[in-house]
Amino acid sequence: MGSGKRRGPLGPRDLALEVLTGVERGKNAGDLLDEALERSDLSRAGRALATEIAYGALRWRGLLDWMLQQVLTTPLERLTPSIRNILRAGAYQILCLDRVPARAAVYESVRLARERGHEGTARLVNAVLRNLDRRRNALVLPGDLDPVTGLAVRLSHPQWLVERWHRRFGPGETRALLEANLEIPPLSIRANSLRCTPEGLAKSLQEEGVALRPGRYFPGAFTLESPPPLRAVRAFNKGLFTVQDESSMLAGLVCHPGPGHIVIDACAAPGGKTIHLAELMGDQGQVLAVDLSAARLSKVRENLQRLGPKCVKIVEADARRLGALYPASADRLLVDAPCSGLGVLRRNPDAKWIKTEGDIHALSKVQLEILLGASPCLKPGGVLVYSVCSLEVEETRDVVESFLSRSPEFHLDDMEGYLPEGLRGQGGQGGMLWLYPHRHGLDGFYLARMRRREGDP
């Protein structure tokens, strides 16, 4: 037990610690941070500091652990999750945040250790972080004898993942991918075409003092620079835009639904792609937003209410049963399948410390089951788009090839004509497209476009 709970509202470091310890229990960092900020009364600067410490300590956790272990006399993993993450957050502030004085980082870390531990743990945290600060220029990095370990530690990724990418991409491109994953991702948004034009959205945001620049590829996309909390932005509350990376926007474009189509989004939550499909249809026809989780479907409802499409119907169901529920009914089927998320580590750095190689293989089986179970819902001539935010072959090409080998009524379909000009000529003509953070400046993403042959029952 600690020596006493903190009185008054929680500060930025308290919130960051909640996120870091929650991640070790297998929870999602983004959800934890959103919940913590929602109930806090922190200033904009305080919110920014909490976010910086939480996400920074997650991005650099591997390197921080390596550095901390050099000033610890006991293995880091033997400490309690709270003390371990207090040390990580403190080390991040000392080694990576120039604007935070080391003495402030140490003082706040000791306070947290006292409240969540006892005087002994407070003394431990004080000694370790002061020693880390004194010895920061003498700390050693791994040598070059083992290049994979060197990359894993220096660029803070798990060893197993670096080994996979090193085998597949080679040392140079692996380094570039790891470095891209450590970048702070931009906040990308898409204009809601049901309520405004891209030009109208840009004008509305500029009038609010929100700085923005055009997206890389998609004409209705923008990147917000130093964005305020979205709920404080009038254009957001009016439903003039939705937050979505440009790689995810491609799923709707490649589906290419038209007015009057019946479209099924098989794994719809939280609803960004569902709403984009409705926009592309001019809100004419029907989009079935399907998800197995009632809790996740509540996010879809929330986004529908804010953004306004009327043609969307929410369906709580297992995507693997869609073929039985809606046989030969849909013109378009989007399967944005649950995946490892290893393509979006710059946005979700916690995933690299939670996911395992076994998860990749387990998820690939689920992905194939969804494709096999959902695909019979398409009409002859209908289009199936499969997408995942993963770069792993087992979750991308292998799943599609296994599906096609078992489903001769489907074939890969050229997607070049549906891609923005800047992404053409990179494989889409073969029906598959990989996007990489270090090559394209977007979230890592994979798309396959397939078509059900005409005349099939």
Side-chain angles (χ1 to χ4, degrees), residues 394-449:
E394 297 94 326
E395 297 184 88
T396 55
R397 185 190 65 204
D398 287 359
V399 168
V400 170
E401 290 182 349
S402 293
F403 168 71
L404 292 173
S405 71
R406 302 182 192 198
S407 309
E409 69 275 23
F410 283 87
H411 62 88
L412 285 167
D413 196 43
D414 186 347
M415 69 173 78
E416 283 286 280
Y418 310 109
L419 297 174
E421 186 175 348
L423 292 174
R424 293 177 187 171
Q426 301 191 43
Q429 66 271 20
M432 299 186 193
L433 180 69
W434 279 269
L435 300 172
Y436 299 91
H438 62 298
R439 294 181 189 172
H440 303 100
L442 303 177
D443 286 350
F445 205 69
Y446 168 84
L447 289 157
R449 177 182 164 100

Side-chain angles (χ1 to χ4, degrees), residues 164-402:
R164 283 178 65 91
W165 288 348
H166 200 269
R167 289 192 300 269
R168 180 177 170 192
F169 299 118
E173 189 158 12
T174 297
R175 174 181 286 275
L177 176 54
L178 300 178
E179 289 173 343
N181 285 343
L182 292 170
E183 295 172 359
I184 298 174
L187 181 63
S188 177
I189 65 171
R190 177 177 50 75
N192 179 1
S193 62
L194 300 178
R195 291 192 171 171
C196 66
T197 63
E199 296 77 16
L201 173 61
K203 181 179 178 182
S204 178
L205 288 170
Q206 288 163 351
E207 288 174 351
E208 290 192 64
V210 178
L212 72 162
R213 63 179 187 272
R216 285 175 176 263
Y217 304 102
F218 190 77
F222 298 94
T223 296
L224 301 189
E225 300 174 350
S226 302
L230 289 180
R231 295 191 184 280
V233 178
R234 290 192 300 276
F236 176 81
N237 294 318
K238 290 179 180 178
L240 301 189
F241 69 87
T242 189
V243 175
Q244 191 175 34
D245 190 78
E246 287 186 72
S247 60
S248 296
M249 297 178 199
L250 294 177
L253 293 183
V254 170
C255 267
H256 194 62
H261 274 169
I262 296 173
V263 181
I264 297 180
D265 185 354
C267 308
K273 296 180 183 70
T274 299
I275 291 164
H276 192 198
L277 292 167
E279 291 175 34
L280 292 168
M281 296 161 60
D283 208 15
Q284 300 175 49
Q286 186 168 70
V287 180
L288 299 184
V290 180
D291 207 275
L292 184 59
S293 165
R296 285 172 56 79
L297 283 172
S298 67
K299 294 283 189 182
V300 181
R301 290 188 178 89
E302 181 182 319
N303 282 318
L304 287 172
Q305 185 173 8
R306 184 175 64 84
L307 295 158
K310 306 299 183 187
C311 72
V312 178
K313 177 183 177 182
I314 290 178
V315 178
E316 184 180 340
D318 188 332
R320 291 169 288 196
R321 297 190 60 241
L322 287 174
L325 293 171
Y326 304 100
S329 300
D331 300 283
R332 299 288 186 270
L333 169 64
L334 172 60
V335 176
D336 184 50
C339 71
S340 65
L342 294 174
V344 290
L345 295 183
R346 64 176 188 163
R347 204 168 294 282
N348 301 310
D350 50 316
K352 61 187 176 182
W353 310 119
I354 295 173
K355 300 295 182 182
T356 68
E357 198 154 17
D359 291 328
I360 296 171
H361 300 288
L363 285 161
S364 68
K365 294 177 182 178
V366 174
Q367 292 151 3
L368 179 59
E369 288 173 2
I370 292 174
L371 283 177
L372 292 169
S375 58
C377 76
L378 275 172
K379 300 174 183 177
V383 170
L384 163 60
V385 172
Y386 172 72
S387 65
V388 284
C389 52
S390 172
L391 308 176
E392 306 314 301
V393 173
E394 297 94 326
E395 297 184 88
T396 55
R397 185 190 65 204
D398 287 359
V399 168
V400 170
E401 290 182 349
S402 293

Side-chain angles (χ1 to χ4, degrees), residues 12-215:
R13 293 169 178 85
D14 300 80
L15 266 60
L17 180 59
E18 282 188 24
V19 173
L20 295 174
T21 54
V23 165
E24 289 213 47
R25 296 194 298 270
K27 296 185 178 180
N28 177 269
D31 292 342
L32 289 166
L33 184 62
D34 287 345
E35 292 166 6
L37 292 176
E38 186 73 26
R39 65 175 187 270
S40 80
D41 57 359
L42 290 176
S43 65
R44 182 173 176 181
R47 296 167 69 92
L49 181 59
T51 302
E52 173 68 41
I53 294 173
Y55 274 83
L58 287 169
R59 283 193 186 93
W60 291 101
R61 190 172 106 176
L63 181 59
L64 295 173
D65 286 4
W66 178 276
M67 297 299 197
L68 282 166
Q69 200 57 69
Q70 294 179 54
V71 292
L72 272 165
T73 57
T74 188
L76 194 61
E77 59 269 19
R78 290 188 185 175
L79 301 174
T80 66
S82 288
I83 301 305
R84 183 164 56 242
N85 285 293
I86 288 168
L87 288 173
R88 286 169 175 158
Y92 177 72
Q93 293 169 74
I94 290 168
L95 299 176
C96 304
L97 289 187
D98 292 338
R99 69 179 184 273
V100 176
R103 63 182 181 279
V106 173
Y107 176 84
E108 286 291 322
S109 299
V110 170
R111 173 186 65 78
L112 289 169
R114 184 174 289 115
E115 291 172 359
R116 287 156 178 80
H118 48 75
E119 278 303 318
T121 52
R123 287 194 297 271
L124 170 70
V125 166
N126 182 63
V128 168
L129 293 181
R130 288 185 182 279
N131 200 8
L132 184 75
D133 184 35
R134 282 195 302 269
R135 293 181 53 193
R136 64 167 72 195
N137 295 323
L139 299 172
V140 297
L141 290 167
D144 297 326
L145 294 178
D146 180 354
V148 171
T149 299
L151 283 173
V153 172
R154 290 170 184 264
L155 297 177
S156 198
H157 281 68
Q159 179 96 5
W160 69 266
L161 184 56
V162 178
E163 287 174 353
R164 283 178 65 91
W165 288 348
H166 200 269
R167 289 192 300 269
R168 180 177 170 192
F169 299 118
E173 189 158 12
T174 297
R175 174 181 286 275
L177 176 54
L178 300 178
E179 289 173 343
N181 285 343
L182 292 170
E183 295 172 359
I184 298 174
L187 181 63
S188 177
I189 65 171
R190 177 177 50 75
N192 179 1
S193 62
L194 300 178
R195 291 192 171 171
C196 66
T197 63
E199 296 77 16
L201 173 61
K203 181 179 178 182
S204 178
L205 288 170
Q206 288 163 351
E207 288 174 351
E208 290 192 64
V210 178
L212 72 162
R213 63 179 187 272

